[in-house]
Amino acid sequence: MEELKRCPFCGSIPTLYHDGLHQVDSKRRYHTTWMILCEKCHNASMSNSAYYSFGEDGVLSSYDEKDGRQEITSRWNSRYRED
């Protein structure tokens, strides 16, 4: 996974959060919302939902082939411009 680029507004390093895993149904599927926030200026935040499931081996993986972390990181990084 690519690293987060600096905040496009203040240049600080942002933080990637999620709101925990919330069970969707009895089939071991879960939902979470990924968020990126600049702790310094609080102006640059984004969020993205994603679904995950636990396999028979107990490993958590993307349920719908989309990893919310990668999607939100790519969106965030597209806002940053090098000087």
Side-chain angles (χ1 to χ4, degrees), residues 37-52:
L37 174 66
C38 175
E39 300 284 343
K40 184 175 180 183
C41 70
H42 301 282
N43 287 325
S45 62
M46 300 183 124
S47 65
N48 189 40
S49 294
Y51 292 88
Y52 298 91

Side-chain angles (χ1 to χ4, degrees), residues 27-73:
K27 296 179 183 176
R28 299 169 64 169
R29 292 187 287 198
Y30 296 84
H31 171 266
T32 192
T33 300
W34 291 97
M35 297 158 278
I36 295 176
L37 174 66
C38 175
E39 300 284 343
K40 184 175 180 183
C41 70
H42 301 282
N43 287 325
S45 62
M46 300 183 124
S47 65
N48 189 40
S49 294
Y51 292 88
Y52 298 91
S53 63
F54 284 100
E56 294 299 321
D57 57 1
V59 175
L60 186 67
S61 60
S62 299
Y63 176 72
D64 57 3
E65 302 300 321
K66 295 179 183 177
D67 185 343
R69 293 174 296 180
Q70 289 177 331
E71 287 186 14
I72 195 170
T73 299

